[in-house]
Amino acid sequence: NAGVTQTPKFQVLKTGQSMTLQCAQDMNHEYMSWYRQDPGMGLRLIHYSVGAGITDQGEVPNGYNVSRSTTEDFPLRLLSAAPSQTSVYFCASRGTSGRVEQFFGPGTRLTVL
Amino acid sequence: GNSVTQMEGPVTLSEEAFLTINCTYTATGYPSLFWYVQYPGEGLQLLLKATKADDKGSNKGFEATYRKETTSFHLEKGSVQVSDSAVYFCALSDAGGTSYGKLTFGQGTILTVHP
């Protein structure tokens, strides 16, 4: 199993540009989520999904969109990038029965100029 | 809402020293508690977990006990190594229901171990 994969690893955008951060998992996990990591603030939940076709907002959803058309993929879209969105983004997944821990991808480091 | 508070960092220790990183939480119900570790340039890895009161999680010489009476989950290791240098995150997960285990993280504690 590859686990949770994220692309790209690094990205630089200009203010106002749009882009999609990709996330995929091969563990057949129902639950997937996106976090952003900022210095001194830990990780904060952006959006999450409990299954294909179902998404909901987390703690800091503004400026981000998500969709979940398949169990495997959970892309995060920035519609109009802002410098405040400079961060490291982590995707995570977990199953909905048994084990409770989440598995994290390697992260995408995004810089918005 | 839920919250997690970790001790202020960074923490700098000599090799073989004793490590404690304090973590306290606020939550309704009976959350699961976790310690995640992030090595330089990498994503988060689960270090250990505890799912109910008085459970002790352990892994790689690290331990933490779920103390409901003090709402704490302090991380300890008896003898740290240089390879333990990383950022450590305490986190809690909602018990279930409609929340589906969303994680709430502390701010992270940077640990540096010198030879």
Side-chain angles (χ1 to χ4, degrees), chain A residues 9 31 35 37-38 40-45 48 50 57-58 90 94 96 99-107, chain B residues 32 34 36 38 41-46 49 51 87 89 93-94 98-108:
Chain A
K9 195 169 179 65
Y31 180 87
Y35 294 86
Q37 180 183 23
D38 301 295
M41 302 186 73
L43 278 75
R44 293 179 291 169
L45 182 65
Y48 66 98
V50 300
Q57 297 181 352
F90 290 100
R94 60 159 281 189
T96 51
R99 298 165 68 91
V100 297
E101 67 265 28
Q102 295 192 30
F103 296 85
F104 284 80
Chain B
S32 295
F34 306 87
Y36 280 87
Q38 183 181 31
E42 298 183 9
L44 278 73
Q45 303 174 24
L46 178 66
K49 68 179 180 185
T51 58
V87 183
F89 292 94
S93 174
D94 291 295
T98 59
S99 60
Y100 292 97
K102 290 181 287 183
L103 283 171
T104 300
F105 285 87
Q107 71 270 35

Side-chain angles (χ1 to χ4, degrees), chain B residues 21-77:
Chain B
I21 301 177
N22 290 340
C23 172
T24 58
Y25 68 90
T26 302
T28 56
Y30 301 92
S32 295
L33 300 174
F34 306 87
W35 278 99
Y36 280 87
V37 59
Q38 183 181 31
Y39 297 104
E42 298 183 9
L44 278 73
Q45 303 174 24
L46 178 66
L47 180 59
L48 54 84
K49 68 179 180 185
T51 58
K52 61 183 187 297
D54 299 324
D55 268 2
K56 176 185 284 187
S58 62
N59 186 27
K60 300 181 180 180
F62 291 89
E63 292 183 341
T65 301
Y66 189 149
R67 301 288 188 200
K68 189 163 178 62
E69 65 274 15
T70 55
T71 61
S72 64
F73 193 54
H74 305 320
L75 182 68
E76 297 182 336
K77 187 174 185 181

Side-chain angles (χ1 to χ4, degrees), chain A residues 70-105:
Chain A
T70 67
T71 299
E72 293 78 21
D73 300 298
F74 191 44
L76 179 72
R77 297 183 187 84
L78 283 71
L79 301 178
S80 179
S84 60
Q85 294 178 304
T86 293
S87 187
V88 181
Y89 292 85
F90 290 100
C91 180
S93 75
R94 60 159 281 189
T96 51
S97 62
R99 298 165 68 91
V100 297
E101 67 265 28
Q102 295 192 30
F103 296 85
F104 284 80

